[in-house]
Amino acid sequence: MLSENTIKIVKSTAPVLAERGVEITSYFYKTMFEAHPELLNIFNHANQKQGRQQTALANTVYAAATYIDQLEVLLPAVKQIAHKHRSLNVKKEHYPIVGEFLLKAIKDVLGDAATPEVLQAWGEAYQVIAQVFIDIENEMYEEANTNKWEGFKAFKVMKKVDESSLITSFYLQATDGSDVPAFQPGQYVTVRLTVSGEEYLLNRQYSLSDAPGKNYLRISVKREGAEPSTLGKVSNYLHDHVNEGEEIELTAPAGDFVLNEVTESPLYLISGGVGITPMMSMLKRVADKQADRVVTFIHAAKNSEVQAFHQEITETINLLPNARKYNVYENPTASDREKKTFDLEGYVDYQKLQEIVKDKEADFYVCGPVPFMKNVIDGLETLGVKAENIHFEFFGPSINLKEY
Ligand code: HEM
């Protein structure tokens, strides 16, 4: 239990920390990695370079400080982060390390403003916040352990299939012959790779792109720009160097961007680019388990050359008597026009949604690049869809859409 005084100090200094939040977290990561380079085997170096992780951590610390006396308000956000932590094998013994360097960063960046009293209060608050994460993650590890899949496990690539000029699917089975556990459509796995020439292990999350209940897990990976950079390092390595018969490591499926199967409410699955992957899992699950459900599948792509799963979507939609689909192409080719491979042209925005959306009480699932998400979510809100009916997932660390 934190004392009244500690709560008062933390709350009153939170805005100061927020103002210098990115500075503090950038300094925090730098000093922590200098002292504990082994942690670079866990963290995503691309997110670090772009400053996205620093912003995500600073936002969370600020939110936690603001709600330090009613942390239950933050539980949904904590759970989402805990899923990511569990999928990266973050353990309770890591928390004191993060605590030590976070406090040191506050002290060094704020200088005289960080009085011993302020540091003492933040140290106590960190313990409380960390314990909330540790407890939730502990439950998640126990569940993974029940499925005999607590950490990383080797998987063999059984099949590698080109879905478009940019997206390739990998069909994966456990090397030790163990069964694929149940997962919820929309969940992701962390892939860990040893890449020659790289000092540290590389981890990335990929959504599972097929329904649960198969004897394999499928991920579908987009190739990124040709320029060598930290962006796309893992994805391009998978494309270029991981072939059928080879092994990669995975953690058990995680994530709370999942299809609600308790209800039969009408469903809108809206994706842009490779954001189609969790939607494929959801669509195929509906075909397996809720074939009468009313489904609208909206997918935005540049054109048919880069659109993945064209045929698989058509085949799945054909199994669903109450489903319809819209291919929205930003820049259709001459052949697209000739063969009518798309339904609408342009972006998925308010105007398009106004044409398509028939039921504002439905559940909407949205996944894609940030500008796409912003267009779609703003459009849905303008149409009058309630925020609680809009479910979405970003690529990379969560970003506050409104501030983006
Ligand atoms: C991701 C907060 C402790 C390692 C994140 C994210 C947040 C966050 C907000 C972004 C989630 C997302 O991607 O949506 C926190 C807070 C902590 C804490 C508030 C303490 C109370 C730790 C610890 C470790 C850790 C102890 C392990 C050393 C990671 C990693 C990611 C992550 C590896 C994935 C992001 C990436 O690789 O770029 N955390 N975290 N975190 N966290 Fe933590």
Side-chain angles (χ1 to χ4, degrees), residues 142-168:
E142 270 171 22
E143 197 188 322
N145 201 15
T146 322
N147 291 323
K148 301 196 171 39
W149 191 357
E150 203 191 314
F152 282 91
K153 195 149 115 174
F155 274 71
K156 192 185 257 188
V157 178
M158 308 307 293
K159 201 162 66 157
K160 192 173 166 183
V161 176
D162 287 340
E163 306 289 2
S164 75
S165 63
L166 287 180
I167 298 178
T168 297

Side-chain angles (χ1 to χ4, degrees), residues 78-295:
V78 171
K79 278 201 178 138
Q80 191 194 345
I81 300 165
H83 272 284
K84 183 69 81 60
H85 283 161
R86 205 284 291 140
S87 96
L88 281 156
N89 231 10
V90 169
K91 291 289 176 67
K92 67 171 184 292
E93 51 272 25
H94 291 127
Y95 280 84
I97 304 176
V98 165
E100 178 190 340
F101 286 90
L102 201 53
L103 239 69
K104 185 173 155 35
I106 294 174
K107 181 168 184 277
D108 291 356
V109 172
L110 294 189
D112 290 346
T115 62
E117 207 190 13
V118 167
L119 290 173
Q120 171 74 23
W122 275 89
E124 286 176 31
Y126 175 80
Q127 301 268 339
V128 170
I129 297 163
Q131 199 57 48
V132 174
F133 278 91
I134 291 170
D135 289 344
I136 293 178
E137 285 159 22
N138 203 19
E139 277 173 30
M140 292 177 176
Y141 279 113
E142 270 171 22
E143 197 188 322
N145 201 15
T146 322
N147 291 323
K148 301 196 171 39
W149 191 357
E150 203 191 314
F152 282 91
K153 195 149 115 174
F155 274 71
K156 192 185 257 188
V157 178
M158 308 307 293
K159 201 162 66 157
K160 192 173 166 183
V161 176
D162 287 340
E163 306 289 2
S164 75
S165 63
L166 287 180
I167 298 178
T168 297
S169 285
F170 296 77
Y171 289 74
L172 305 161
Q173 282 178 339
T175 311
D176 67 6
S178 55
D179 290 342
V180 171
F183 65 89
Q184 297 181 69
Q187 288 196 302
Y188 58 80
V189 288
T190 291
V191 169
R192 183 166 77 177
L193 289 181
T194 311
V195 171
S196 56
E198 287 291 326
E199 205 177 345
Y200 299 102
L201 296 166
L202 299 180
N203 300 275
R204 288 297 183 278
Q205 286 73 43
Y206 295 101
S207 297
L208 293 165
S209 62
D210 208 337
K214 316 274 187 230
N215 68 349
Y216 56 81
L217 293 175
R218 181 176 76 173
I219 56 169
S220 305
V221 178
K222 179 179 168 235
R223 180 187 281 287
E224 297 296 340
E227 293 293 311
S229 80
T230 38
L231 273 184
K233 205 176 248 181
V234 174
S235 297
N236 293 358
Y237 190 87
L238 285 165
H239 271 257
D240 295 334
H241 300 289
V242 178
N243 296 314
E244 289 177 4
E246 290 179 34
E247 284 180 16
I248 56 176
E249 289 182 299
L250 303 187
T251 52
D256 58 0
F257 174 66
V258 294
L259 179 67
N260 182 350
E261 297 181 68
V262 176
T263 148
E264 289 262 354
S265 66
L267 195 60
Y268 286 81
L269 302 175
I270 310 175
S271 60
V274 74
I276 195 169
T277 48
M279 302 306 170
M280 288 306 294
S281 183
M282 294 186 192
L283 180 70
K284 295 189 75 178
R285 176 65 166 188
V286 172
D288 283 348
K289 297 283 175 193
Q290 298 179 310
D292 289 328
R293 199 161 174 181
V294 177
V295 185

